[in-house]
Structures are given as C-alpha cells and as structure tokens.
Amino acid sequence: EDLGVRHRLWVYSGRRGVHCWVCDDAVRRWSPALRAAAVEYLTLVKGGAETVKKVNISEPIHPFISSCPRGYPSQSSFMPVLDLEQGGLWGRVGLAVPVIGLDRPSQHREPLQGEFPRKRDSVQRWELLKGRMERTRVRAGKSAPCYADWEIMLQFCFPRLDINVSKGLGHLLKSPFSVHPKTGRISVPLDLQRLDQFDPFAVPTISSLCHELDTAGDDGEQEDGAETEPKRRARDYKKTSLAPYVRIFEQFVEEMERARRGERLRRSDLQGDF
C-alpha cells in the first residue's frame, strides 16, 4: 500500500512461506534495482544467524515501521510464541533470546533466571522483562521512548523477506496451484478476509486431490455416462477441496480485469477530450 501497489495475490507456499504476487502493470516493469529498494523498504528483520538483535527501532521511526500499529504483534498473539508449555521461546532457548532487548544482557541473565521460575505464566514473565527493560533504560539516562518490547515481538513475528526472489527477474518462481515437493501440499491462494480461519495443515495435497477426483469421477459416470472424459475431468475439480481456492484466484483475476477495463475507459475519455 505504501508503494501504491493494488493487485496483490497472497499464496501459501505449501510449507512454511507465503508468496505475494504483485500484478500491477507498472510493478511488473520494475528493474532489479527498484525491486531491491522496495524489499529493503519493507524489511524490518535484518541479519543472519550470527546477529543476535535483528530489529532496531530509533527516532525518527521509519514510516513503514510507524505505519504498523504499536499493538502489532499484539501481546495476545505473541504469548503463544513465548509459552513454555507449548515448547516456545522460553522452553527452547531460555533467556538467550529475550535479553536481546536489554543493555549489557550478560548482567541481567542470571537475575532473570532466578525470578522467572517464580512467575506463574508467560504473561507475568513478559511483564517482568518489559519492566526490567524500562528500568535499565532510565538508569542509563536515556529519555527517548523504549521500543525494546516491540523490537523483540517484531523479531519473532514479522515475516522474513526473500530479497533474491523478489529482485531477480530470472529467478524461478512457484506458480499458484503447484505442488510443494516436500509436503505434497498445493500452493493455494489466501483469502485475507478469512485469514484467521486458514489452516496450513488442512490444505489439499496431491494425494487427497487424486482420491477426490477418483470419487467424483465414479459419481459422474453414474450420473452421465455420455459425457466425454476431458469435459468431465475439467468440471470435476469443483467437487474437490481445491474449489474454494480456485474461486479466490478467479476473483483476483476478475478484479484485475475490471480495473484494466476502467483504465482503458479513462484513457479513452481523456483522448476524446482533446
């Protein structure tokens, strides 16, 4: 939205990623340098495995960061990431990760390790950590706002962007509805209006679709034995679990077609005025 992009199709990769297909005519003509600049603008999490603290927020806040509401990620959505009982960050890495928000983390690790077990749940531990971050900043004589809690949440919840795929015009891309080679899941378009209902583990797989098509084919033969095989097969996908995702794709294409027709009419009107 910040870059004026309108036609975006979000597609689940079939494993753990998401692809954003940008189909605006102007964007499709961008050079690799422009594409790299756009990705850089959208990148909040920077650094590889050797970088401990990957998000740094300072004044003045970058406009893209400031456009993210301070409540994102929300504490309620971040708690499951931390939750010890669910094998989250507390359980896997202890304090190695949370102390990235503290100045001189080595001085705070041992005291926090002693206090954490006395806290009932992740919410109380998180409040303890936020309070410690605020106090250490005040002692250091820093009057600027403290963004340490936000930096930590963004580091573990904000998506990592693949710069090479985004800027390289010759890079291989996975098309929507292709099959992920490791999981067998179909790369399906996402409905952003119902994103909270999306379950990546319930996405159709190539095996489940073959079974559904075979079942649909048996039913079709009983209903109309005179129909040709190619025509029946082309229609049978509507009886499978892939049908809702195809409809999302069709709606996206229809919206692009409407926008293109509107643009042609606008240009025609402008030409007629002269």
Side-chain angles (χ1 to χ4, degrees):
E1 291 174 355
D2 287 2
L3 301 173
V5 171
R6 291 182 57 195
H7 302 294
R8 305 180 302 272
L9 178 68
W10 296 89
V11 182
Y12 170 55
S13 71
R15 192 182 184 190
R16 60 184 181 187
V18 179
H19 306 152
C20 180
W21 286 80
V22 179
C23 299
D24 296 52
D25 285 343
V27 176
R28 288 157 59 191
R29 292 192 291 269
W30 278 3
S31 67
L34 272 175
R35 293 167 184 266
V39 176
E40 177 66 23
Y41 173 74
L42 297 169
T43 299
L44 296 188
V45 183
K46 301 179 180 181
E50 71 286 351
T51 305
V52 177
K53 187 177 181 181
K54 297 181 174 66
V55 177
N56 292 279
I57 300 176
S58 59
E59 301 282 353
I61 299 179
H62 189 288
F64 173 59
I65 300 177
S66 61
S67 67
C68 293
R70 184 67 195 270
Y72 170 81
S74 67
Q75 182 165 300
S76 60
S77 66
F78 184 59
M79 285 303 104
V81 179
L82 286 176
D83 197 49
L84 174 65
E85 288 70 27
Q86 301 300 321
L89 295 178
W90 296 139
R92 288 191 288 109
V93 293
L95 288 172
V97 173
V99 293
I100 64 175
L102 293 164
D103 295 328
R104 299 182 299 279
S106 59
Q107 298 181 15
H108 299 280
R109 185 175 286 110
E110 187 173 340
L112 285 171
Q113 284 177 331
E115 294 179 61
F116 266 38
R118 296 197 289 270
K119 300 301 178 182
R120 187 176 67 251
D121 52 29
S122 292
V123 175
Q124 290 189 356
R125 293 173 183 174
W126 180 240
E127 292 301 324
L128 170 66
L129 183 62
K130 287 199 297 182
R132 183 64 61 89
M133 289 186 289
E134 289 284 359
R135 289 196 299 274
T136 56
R137 195 172 185 85
V138 170
R139 289 197 201 102
K142 298 178 180 179
S143 58
C146 177
Y147 298 108
D149 59 329
W150 201 15
E151 291 171 340
I152 292 174
M153 290 194 290
L154 285 170
Q155 176 158 330
F156 293 100
C157 294
F158 198 83
R160 275 67 166 171
L161 304 183
D162 192 325
I163 295 179
N164 292 327
V165 171
S166 300
K167 74 177 182 180
L169 296 175
H171 203 290
L172 292 176
L173 300 173
K174 284 178 79 261
S175 297
F177 303 109
S178 58
V179 182
H180 195 283
K182 293 186 178 180
T183 65
R185 298 192 194 110
I186 309 299
S187 183
V188 295
L190 299 172
D191 182 355
L192 296 189
Q193 302 303 316
R194 304 176 61 190
L195 193 58
D196 58 338
Q197 301 175 33
F198 177 74
D199 181 359
F201 299 107
V203 167
T205 65
I206 188 64
S207 300
S208 67
L209 284 179
C210 287
H211 175 72
E212 291 170 355
L213 283 170
D214 289 340
T215 303
D218 294 339
D219 294 341
E221 290 173 1
Q222 296 174 6
E223 294 172 5
D224 187 1
E227 189 175 34
T228 62
E229 177 72 10
K231 185 176 180 180
R232 179 175 60 77
R233 280 291 181 182
R235 183 205 63 206
D236 281 349
Y237 86 87
K238 296 181 180 180
K239 300 179 182 179
T240 70
S241 54
L242 195 64
Y245 301 106
V246 175
R247 184 55 191 153
I248 294 172
F249 183 77
E250 290 174 340
Q251 289 171 344
F252 175 75
V253 174
E254 290 166 2
E255 175 58 31
M256 279 206 307
E257 289 176 342
R258 283 194 294 270
R260 180 163 292 182
R261 284 197 299 270
E263 181 63 20
R264 284 202 299 264
L265 287 172
R266 187 185 68 82
R267 291 178 181 176
S268 177
D269 291 342
L270 289 175
Q271 291 172 357
D273 290 340
F274 292 97

